[in-house]
Amino acid sequence: MSRVRTSGGTRAAVLMGTAGAVLALAACGSGSSGAAASSAATTPAAPSSSAPAVTSSAAPSTPVRPSSPSKTARPSTTRTTTKPVARPVLVLESDGLGYVVGDAAIRHLPFGSDATAVVTAVGTALGGSLTRNDLPECGQGPRSSAGRAGFSVLLDGTKFVGWTDQGAKGRRLTTADGLGVGSTLRDITAGRPGTTTSEGSVGTEFVDADGFGGILAGASPTSRATLVYAGETCFFR
């Protein structure tokens, strides 16, 4: 640029030069600012070094498999079976009755025992109550009986004085050595060597030395007992 010699002209030239420089700087600044703004808009800012670093020590989570739906437990089908209590067993004896419960020792109910206790025991063994009957015409005096299913006990007031068994379908009472209704005369005489037989109005009768007796279907060795008894009886001979 040519310098103007006049002072006024020089000042004007200086001012113009200064204004041009300012305009040039403004133009440059405007371009720089636009570039800087564009750079700031497109370049992500680096994280501040003063920000705390977050470090996770936990292992990456493992997906949890959903549990299978619970199944409702089926009700148990196990059945508890209650073993039935065995009935007592009567044992025929020459001097009364035996009464056995399970594996317990035999209980004896001899003649002369309390009638009520005997009736209760016999009813329990035979599975029901006994039927009572008055027997006013027995040869030895008035008596009563209590019986069920072919078996009966003879009572003198409040005392047990005899028993008689005629047998019944589905049950068989015997002595301890296995004698009872259905036994043959051969069996009876073999087990009771002192047994004697006689003929009377009731047929062939047998009795041993201890008082165990009965009535037979005949007099042959194979004839079977149809009735057995011990103690007092109340039938006419």
Side-chain angles (χ1 to χ4, degrees), residues 202-220:
V202 296
T204 303
E205 193 171 352
F206 74 89
V207 64
D208 70 5
D210 296 325
F212 172 70
I215 298 172
L216 298 162
S220 70

Side-chain angles (χ1 to χ4, degrees), residues 107-137:
R107 174 189 172 195
H108 296 282
L109 300 169
F111 295 134
S113 297
D114 177 72
T116 300
V118 172
V119 168
T120 299
V122 172
T124 301
L126 297 182
S129 59
L130 305 187
T131 301
R132 301 288 293 262
N133 291 299
D134 292 329
L135 303 171
E137 298 181 359

Side-chain angles (χ1 to χ4, degrees), residues 141-236:
R143 298 287 187 267
S144 65
S145 69
R148 177 182 176 84
F151 183 85
S152 64
V153 292
L154 193 66
L155 310 172
D156 180 7
T158 60
K159 293 182 179 181
F160 168 46
V161 294
W163 59 261
T164 300
D165 183 27
Q166 300 178 66
K169 185 177 181 179
R171 75 142 174 88
R172 185 169 185 261
L173 303 179
T174 69
T175 61
D177 54 351
L179 301 177
V181 172
S183 296
T184 65
L185 179 58
R186 180 185 291 116
D187 294 334
I188 295 167
T189 55
R192 310 289 175 104
T195 298
T196 61
T197 61
S198 62
E199 296 293 330
S201 60
V202 296
T204 303
E205 193 171 352
F206 74 89
V207 64
D208 70 5
D210 296 325
F212 172 70
I215 298 172
L216 298 162
S220 70
T222 58
S223 296
R224 296 182 181 276
T226 58
L227 178 149
V228 291
Y229 65 82
E232 290 188 17
T233 61
C234 189
F235 47 85
F236 296 97

